[in-house]
Structures are given as C-alpha cells and as structure tokens.
Amino acid sequence: SQAKNLAAAREHASRLEPDIHHDSRFADIKLGAYTGGGGCLWVYGFLTSDQASNELSRLVEASHPPVPVQYDIRILPPEPGTTNQ
C-alpha cells in the first residue's frame, strides 16, 4: 500500500541521509518520502556536476531502497573561481 511504502521510504531516508552527507558534495541533498508511484524514496537537491549526480545515484542504489526511487536533482555548476567541489 502507499502508506506502507511511504513509511518504508521515510525509515530508509532517515538511515541513508547521514551516510550521504558524509560526502561534502552531497551536503545539500535531501531524502524523504514521496507519494508518487504509490510511495517512493525522494532524493532531491542541487549538485555541481553530472558526475556527482551519477555517484549519488550509485550510493543510493547500493543502499537497496525498499521502494522505488524518485530523483529530482538539479545541476548547478560552481561559480568560476570558487574552490568547493
């Protein structure tokens, strides 16, 4: 059921988010439950490159989410001259 999937997504997000945030590139990434698709894990936020997005996807998939994953990642390249990532 959607309620069961949403509960599973919330529980998985609460366990996975600290692991995601160990990598400073993913500090602004949020995880939560999303009602689409009958209840899924929602991964959203901003990253600085497609490479970081691909690595984030691999990290999330490696955690074996109990429900489908919905990604809403926007790529914002760093400003010229900045040193983060």
Side-chain angles (χ1 to χ4, degrees), residues 9-80:
R10 277 191 292 274
E11 195 273 331
H12 194 75
S14 70
R15 285 189 292 115
L16 181 58
E17 201 168 44
D19 293 340
I20 297 286
H21 290 164
H22 276 297
D23 188 322
S24 62
R25 294 174 300 166
F26 307 143
D28 295 329
I29 295 299
K30 305 285 188 253
L31 284 79
Y34 181 65
T35 56
C40 61
L41 178 65
W42 189 24
V43 180
Y44 59 102
F46 296 94
L47 292 172
T48 58
S49 69
D50 287 326
Q51 179 183 354
S53 181
N54 292 338
E55 290 175 22
L56 175 64
S57 297
R58 281 195 292 275
L59 193 59
V60 171
E61 296 304 326
S63 75
H64 304 290
V67 293
V69 181
Q70 171 73 38
Y71 293 94
D72 185 10
I73 302 297
R74 307 293 163 91
I75 305 299
L76 291 177
E79 295 291 322

